[in-house]
Amino acid sequence: MTATTTTAQRPSATDRTVTARVLAVEVLDELRGIIREPTAWVFSVAMPVGFFILFLSMFGDEPLAGRQAGTSMLATLGTFGVLAVTLMNPGIGVAEDRERGWLRAKRVSAVPLPVTLAAKVAAAVPYALGVLAAMTVAAAAMGALDAPLGTVARVAAVLVVGALPFALLSLAIGFRVGANAAAAILNAFLLPAAVASGLWMPLESLPDVLSRIAVYLPTYHLSQLAFAQLNGGGWIDHALVLVAFAALAAVAAAVSYRSSRP
Amino acid sequence: MTTTPTTTRATRPRAAPGGPVLEVSGLEHRYGQTIALAGVDLRVQPGECVALLGPNGAGKTTLVNAAIGLQPVQRGRVRVAGDDPRRAATRRRLGVVQQTVGFPRTLKVGELVRGAAVRAGLHPRAAEPVLAEVGLGDLVDRRAGKLSGGQQQRLQLAMALVGDPGLLVLDEPTVGLDITSRRAFWTTLGARRDRGTAVLLTTHQIDEAAAVADRVVLLDRGRVLAADRPSALIDLLPDRTISARTRLPDGQLRQHLAGQPFSRDGELLTLATSQAEDTVRRLLAADADLSDLRVEGASLEQAMVALMDRAREEASA
């Protein structure tokens, strides 16, 4: 009896071309899914932007961390807005695809799983940028934007790149549980973490215990990394924490994926 | 569903000339201590329809997963059109229709089939003739979540066919479909088979398998018990079932039937025999008022059960 050689073969140029086209189709499908799903708009766009406008109208022109609060909130509520997309959508999406057999159908049709997953994460990026753009426009419209657009763009870039490890965590959960459970688990992480990291209200206005907890939360370090773009504060420690978190999330996603394979 | 052939694409690579489109040899697979496949050999030729039958746990799913490249081969060899099905390029020559797939609710029929064309390495335009072929040409802008069960199955078929596959793997493809949808489904596939597409079918609908398959492969506990034409498997069972209405008393019947066992339900007489012609002659000679006489051959299902029973008896002996 002959044992079949199953070693991976290098993809040909044709394979790579097809893969690139497939990635484009997958991203487009994901974007269509987001745009055509009203519930996603409510929870991932309307809620963070709505909170932002609410707090902006209440505290927008007060000073906060060296700038007008309306600008500083781009780092805090902006972090929440970006995470509401990048943490929630990929995990819930992959859990739904698993449940309905769509993920298997894609694997059968020769779509490499990393392409499917990359598409889910990539589709969250323009969505997250849209949330940040809406917040920026709102801050500017209410006279609370006191940072140059280049600085705001840096904040957006940091938030989008810094949110990618959260997408990995999201996938790790999406590979283990069903869509409803994934939504519940991810919300159970995001909402308390947002409060404890000072994403909704400044930590100075909250009980001291939350400040002590915050330093252990990656959500806090992401917001501080964004803050550093606005006020020039130190960023290396926050970046290192996020790199470590990214490594852990990647391992969790890989383990979770392997255990869920048919 | 119409059967308009697609003519806009060049025929994609299938098997080597004269070679099988699917070749499985000595395939073994274990889940821990459980043997799922114990040295399975299978060949499917271009244009051929082979039905994989067997009880739950027979190894059908493991075999199919290996054939479509979803499962690493532990021991043995699997080739699709001469290549390893684990390779993406090989899988693009496969089409798969599952029992059910929950399509994303937000995507439209046309978008899904065009996406399948791109995944198969083709231009999105390749979707148009296939949509017409399966009768979804008027539904391209309808969201998949709003399709009926039959339409969803046609959508799956369109996505499987768009790459002009050399091998089509069907897993319980017509469960839940009405008769019209079933006939349309098999009509479409018939046209594809005429053009050389091979079909590997797994199903529990044995009558359907008997009707559409050129060959039936009976799996049980990871082994191939039989592989032949459905009629050849049925012919393995010598017995025919005879039924008729008669008023003869049991004693006379026993005498005329030369001791063959029979059952009675009022006037209805039923017996199984390997000497159907002789028995019918005896009955007609014994009872001039005999009515509702019927002689029925064995079904593929009965043949399968008999083959499995025989294999189990041999294993336990």
Side-chain angles (χ1 to χ4, degrees):
Chain A
M1 206 152 303
T2 318
T4 301
T5 306
T6 55
T7 48
Q9 300 181 38
R10 273 177 47 183
S12 65
T14 310
D15 279 345
R16 284 195 294 272
T17 306
V18 172
T19 301
R21 286 179 185 154
V22 170
L23 178 61
V25 165
E26 295 281 318
V27 172
L28 194 58
D29 282 354
E30 292 295 330
L31 286 172
R32 284 170 174 145
I34 292 170
I35 289 165
R36 293 171 184 171
E37 188 60 74
T39 52
W41 282 99
V42 171
F43 287 105
S44 299
V45 177
M47 203 169 88
V49 174
F51 271 132
F52 183 85
I53 292 171
L54 175 69
F55 287 128
L56 193 63
S57 63
M58 292 163 67
F59 315 110
D61 53 358
E62 292 181 14
L64 176 64
R67 293 198 183 262
Q68 277 187 276
T71 304
S72 296
M73 283 194 303
L74 286 176
T76 53
L77 272 168
T79 300
F80 175 70
V82 168
L83 290 183
V85 178
T86 50
L87 184 65
M88 303 301 287
N89 286 4
I92 295 172
V94 85
E96 281 179 345
D97 284 357
R98 277 179 49 239
E99 280 182 328
R100 58 165 67 117
W102 185 234
L103 200 60
R104 177 185 159 90
K106 282 190 193 173
R107 288 180 63 195
V108 167
S109 59
V111 179
L113 187 75
V115 168
T116 300
L117 302 185
K120 287 198 180 297
V121 175
V125 171
Y127 203 28
L129 287 173
V131 170
L132 288 172
M135 290 178 174
T136 305
V137 167
M142 296 175 79
L145 185 67
D146 68 348
L149 278 182
T151 303
V152 173
R154 235 174 33 237
V155 170
V158 162
L159 286 178
V160 168
V161 173
L164 295 181
F166 292 87
L168 291 174
L169 178 68
S170 180
L171 292 173
I173 290 166
F175 274 120
R176 293 305 290 254
V177 299
N180 290 338
I185 291 169
L186 291 168
N187 270 314
F189 168 74
L190 177 60
L191 299 180
V195 173
S197 301
L199 304 188
W200 287 358
M201 302 281 284
L203 283 171
E204 297 77 32
S205 328
L206 297 169
D208 286 347
V209 65
L210 292 182
S211 297
R212 290 197 290 275
I213 293 171
V215 294
Y216 297 105
L217 295 171
T219 42
Y220 167 79
H221 293 283
L222 179 56
S223 70
Q224 293 305 306
L225 203 55
F227 253 133
Q229 310 310 310
L230 290 171
N231 60 20
W235 57 272
I236 291 179
D237 289 352
H238 304 303
L240 287 175
V241 170
L242 286 173
V243 168
F245 172 61
L248 284 174
V251 169
V255 169
S256 192
Y257 161 62
R258 284 181 185 281
S259 66
S260 76
R261 290 181 77 162
Chain B
M1 197 182 306
T2 62
T3 55
T4 313
T6 51
T7 54
T8 55
R9 289 156 295 150
T11 302
R12 309 189 82 207
R14 296 173 189 274
V21 71
L22 172 65
E23 185 174 20
V24 176
S25 47
L27 187 61
E28 296 181 15
H29 199 95
R30 284 172 179 267
Y31 297 103
Q33 295 299 311
T34 307
I35 298 172
L37 294 174
V40 168
D41 297 309
L42 174 66
R43 283 174 165 231
V44 181
Q45 301 294 339
E48 188 181 26
C49 178
V50 174
L52 277 181
L53 301 181
N56 292 334
K60 301 188 298 291
T61 302
T62 305
L63 177 54
V64 166
N65 280 346
I68 61 179
L70 276 190
Q71 190 160 268
V73 171
Q74 291 177 346
R75 200 168 172 83
R77 179 184 155 96
V78 178
R79 287 289 179 269
V80 171
D83 284 330
D84 184 350
R86 301 276 291 168
R87 290 185 60 221
T90 313
R91 286 226 290 281
R92 287 189 205 112
R93 295 175 209 163
L94 284 166
V96 179
V97 175
Q98 304 180 65
Q99 186 175 338
T100 54
V101 168
F103 296 104
R105 294 182 303 272
T106 51
L107 295 183
K108 296 175 181 175
V109 169
E111 292 165 351
L112 284 162
V113 183
R114 284 192 282 271
V118 172
R119 290 183 191 104
L122 301 172
H123 193 280
R125 275 198 301 270
E128 307 310 325
V130 181
L131 283 162
E133 182 182 0
V134 302
L136 289 176
D138 295 334
L139 299 176
V140 287
D141 290 324
R142 183 169 296 181
R143 290 196 184 180
K146 295 193 182 301
L147 297 179
S148 69
Q151 289 167 337
Q152 290 201 7
Q153 209 59 349
R154 279 193 268 161
L155 174 55
Q156 258 212 89
L157 183 60
M159 293 173 72
L161 291 178
V162 74
D164 196 13
L167 175 65
L168 199 56
V169 179
L170 312 175
D171 180 12
E172 300 278 1
T174 57
V175 168
L177 297 190
D178 60 31
I179 293 173
T180 309
S181 300
R182 275 182 200 210
R183 291 179 70 173
F185 184 92
W186 290 114
T187 302
T188 303
L189 281 189
R192 285 289 182 145
R193 286 179 57 198
D194 290 344
R195 292 164 49 198
T197 301
V199 175
L200 180 64
L201 164 71
T202 65
T203 182
H204 288 290
Q205 300 189 63
I206 296 167
D207 290 345
E208 190 170 67
V212 302
D214 300 310
R215 266 192 310 136
V216 165
V217 174
L218 176 59
L219 277 177
D220 188 29
R221 295 187 291 187
R223 293 180 191 280
V224 175
L225 295 187
D228 212 330
R229 289 174 292 110
S231 58
L233 292 183
I234 291 168
D235 287 346
L236 292 175
L237 280 187
D239 284 356
R240 302 286 182 270
T241 301
I242 298 174
S243 61
R245 291 193 177 277
T246 177
R247 290 180 182 160
L248 290 181
D250 286 358
Q252 279 191 43
L253 275 174
R254 264 188 220 102
Q255 188 184 342
H256 289 290
L257 292 173
Q260 290 188 78
F262 63 87
S263 62
R264 290 287 291 264
D265 181 7
E267 293 183 357
L268 184 63
L269 163 78
T270 308
L271 75 156
T273 177
S274 58
Q275 300 161 333
E277 292 81 0
D278 183 52
T279 305
V280 167
R281 272 194 291 271
R282 286 167 180 264
L283 284 170
L284 288 170
D287 184 0
D289 296 327
L290 196 77
S291 62
D292 291 348
L293 176 65
R294 286 183 179 202
V295 181
E296 292 177 87
S299 65
L300 181 58
E301 183 173 346
Q302 287 170 316
M304 280 177 53
V305 171
L307 285 163
M308 287 190 290
D309 286 347
R310 188 193 303 168
R312 284 171 187 179
E313 281 167 16
E314 287 171 2
S316 62

